[in-house]
Amino acid sequence: MRIAVVDSTPLIHLVHLGLCGEISLFFDVVYVPMAVQREVNRKSRFRYRLKKLYETGYFLRCTTANAENVKLLRPDVDEGEAEALIQAQERTATHFIGDDRRAREIGSNMGFRCVGTVRILARLFLEGRASETRSLVRKLQRDLRFRVSEQVIQQAIAMAEEPI
């Protein structure tokens, strides 16, 4: 079973682009930690969108994480990322979906395959499920002030042929 845990930023971006439903191409289950749910509701106020995601059956709430382990990660990453990484560990996930470089480094060290928004967009474009990657990134930059370097975009596009 392909299991992932998602952080708030990629979740917000994929919902904004209307591409969350396509994530089932890559994962059987995507867990959304409680801290991520709070962040998404606070930042983007889309409680109703989360409810629709949960109705799909492959986005699931996860409400518990070892608080001590989350505290250990807090000096390096924000609460949502820390909880997502610990939830990934507790739920024996194979993937961490996050955009923060430090969180992805920690996730890789914990043994997860880490993917970000741009990598998912590049793969969806390759699969014929999304518009061209750069145009989607520009939309995120314009609408949500998404910050990403040209190097990250190029790397994601270059890696698009590799399965997620």
Side-chain angles (χ1 to χ4, degrees), residues 55-72:
E55 289 171 359
T56 65
Y58 49 82
F59 281 91
L60 301 174
R61 291 175 181 92
C62 52
T63 56
T64 60
N66 182 309
E68 291 304 313
N69 287 341
V70 172
K71 277 185 194 177
L72 291 173

Side-chain angles (χ1 to χ4, degrees), residues 3-8 10 27 33 36 77 80-86 88 93-108 111-116 120 164:
I3 300 171
V5 178
V6 67
D7 186 32
S8 60
F27 308 109
V36 170
V77 295
E81 292 155 346
E83 191 171 318
L85 288 164
I86 298 305
T94 55
H95 289 74
F96 166 71
I97 305 170
D99 286 336
D100 181 78
R101 182 173 31 134
R102 182 67 182 132
R104 290 167 42 150
E105 288 171 1
I106 293 169
S108 290
F112 306 120
R113 289 195 63 193
C114 299
V115 296
I120 290 171
I164 289 180

Side-chain angles (χ1 to χ4, degrees), residues 24-147:
S24 65
L25 291 170
F26 312 123
F27 308 109
D28 299 309
V29 174
V30 177
Y31 286 105
V32 182
M34 185 61 78
V36 170
Q37 294 171 55
R38 282 192 306 270
E39 284 180 25
V40 166
N41 286 329
R42 186 177 61 245
K43 290 179 183 175
S44 297
R45 298 177 211 175
F46 64 74
R47 182 171 284 134
Y48 72 97
R49 291 181 184 170
L50 271 178
K51 185 178 178 188
K52 286 186 179 185
L53 289 178
Y54 296 140
E55 289 171 359
T56 65
Y58 49 82
F59 281 91
L60 301 174
R61 291 175 181 92
C62 52
T63 56
T64 60
N66 182 309
E68 291 304 313
N69 287 341
V70 172
K71 277 185 194 177
L72 291 173
L73 290 179
R74 288 291 289 129
D76 295 316
V77 295
D78 73 21
E79 182 185 13
E81 292 155 346
E83 191 171 318
L85 288 164
I86 298 305
Q87 287 285 357
Q89 192 174 47
E90 291 176 358
R91 306 239 176 223
T92 62
T94 55
H95 289 74
F96 166 71
I97 305 170
D99 286 336
D100 181 78
R101 182 173 31 134
R102 182 67 182 132
R104 290 167 42 150
E105 288 171 1
I106 293 169
S108 290
N109 290 338
M110 293 171 80
F112 306 120
R113 289 195 63 193
C114 299
V115 296
T117 300
V118 181
R119 174 81 195 288
I120 290 171
L121 296 177
R123 185 64 191 190
L124 288 173
F125 172 70
L126 186 68
E127 297 275 343
R129 303 288 189 129
S131 301
E132 195 272 326
T133 306
R134 289 181 194 281
S135 67
L136 293 172
V137 169
R138 279 192 300 275
K139 180 172 176 49
L140 291 173
Q141 289 171 325
R142 183 184 66 241
D143 297 351
L144 302 177
R145 298 186 198 121
F146 181 47
R147 295 179 321 208

